Amino acid sequence: MAEQTVLIRIMGESDIVDVTMRKATASHALLMGLDAADRINLLGHWMDQDRGAALAEDQNHLDAMTEIASGILAESPLGAQLKAGANFVLLTLLREKWPVGSKAKFKIIADRVKADHTYLAHPCAAVKLDDLTDLDAVKQEETRQLSMSLAFYKANRRRFANSSAVQGLIKG
């Protein structure tokens, strides 16, 4: 990943925000004291119920979003592809299903970041795009990655909340 730009398209339940991947930095003030799971839940919460686009207009929140998404990808199996030249990744953050009998436990986890749900992060794929400023190509690749991930979403449908947008994708 030496000196190359990697575009991360963060797709939540209701919003999409694009960020440029960064190397790990000192923790952001909004993220202090949060472990990896809490960060995923916070980013998922921000990208739900039409909060993401508005929050991304604030540089402080955009920097925190970038740090969380970059951290998720740095820990993912896609790292080798990024080092090999891939420069675009679609990262989905979707509501997690709370199994009956475990709701109190999940509520405690969600409450740590003042969220209504917990979220599952899924980096779809890493690919090389010729021009990251070509919005049509980026949108086309987003659609392709969602299509390729459909098998994962179907196989894991019970992990996602019934209210999650992925349920419509699976049935559609």
Side-chain angles (χ1 to χ4, degrees):
M1 233 173 43
E3 303 302 318
Q4 85 174 8
T5 298
V6 175
L7 178 67
I8 305 169
R9 176 157 281 188
I10 305 168
M11 179 180 281
E13 288 290 341
S14 64
D15 284 329
I16 298 172
V17 172
D18 291 339
V19 298
T20 302
M21 187 170 180
R22 291 189 219 150
K23 292 188 188 258
T25 60
S27 190
H28 191 279
L30 290 174
L31 308 177
M32 294 301 251
L34 300 180
D35 65 15
D38 288 342
R39 289 174 181 227
I40 289 169
N41 289 330
L42 181 61
L43 184 57
H45 175 69
W46 285 345
M47 299 300 295
D48 199 351
Q49 298 176 356
D50 299 320
R51 286 183 279 266
L55 287 172
E57 291 178 11
D58 170 53
Q59 190 62 48
N60 197 32
H61 281 89
L62 184 61
D63 289 344
M65 290 174 175
T66 300
E67 185 172 328
I68 296 168
S70 296
I72 292 168
L73 290 184
E75 299 296 319
S76 82
L78 300 178
Q81 295 171 357
L82 295 172
K83 289 178 183 169
N87 63 355
F88 177 78
V89 177
L90 176 65
L91 172 65
T92 60
L93 291 139
L94 301 167
R95 291 180 195 147
E96 181 175 27
K97 185 174 189 166
W98 292 0
V100 174
S102 301
K103 290 184 181 192
K105 179 182 88 168
F106 280 87
K107 175 116 177 69
I108 291 168
I109 294 168
D111 285 347
R112 288 196 306 240
V113 294
K114 298 177 179 65
D116 299 320
H117 304 277
T118 53
Y119 296 83
L120 299 170
H122 175 67
C124 294
V127 297
K128 172 80 172 141
L129 293 180
D130 292 331
D131 182 5
L132 291 174
T133 63
D134 181 350
L135 298 180
D136 289 334
V138 170
K139 180 66 177 166
Q140 187 175 19
E141 182 57 32
E142 169 195 314
T143 302
R144 192 179 76 76
Q145 287 192 24
L146 282 173
S147 295
M148 288 176 21
S149 294
L150 195 54
F152 169 82
Y153 295 131
K154 283 183 178 181
N156 291 281
R157 75 173 37 151
R158 288 185 182 95
R159 293 181 60 202
F160 297 100
N162 291 337
S163 63
S164 177
V166 77
Q167 298 298 348
L169 179 67
I170 290 169
K171 292 174 186 166

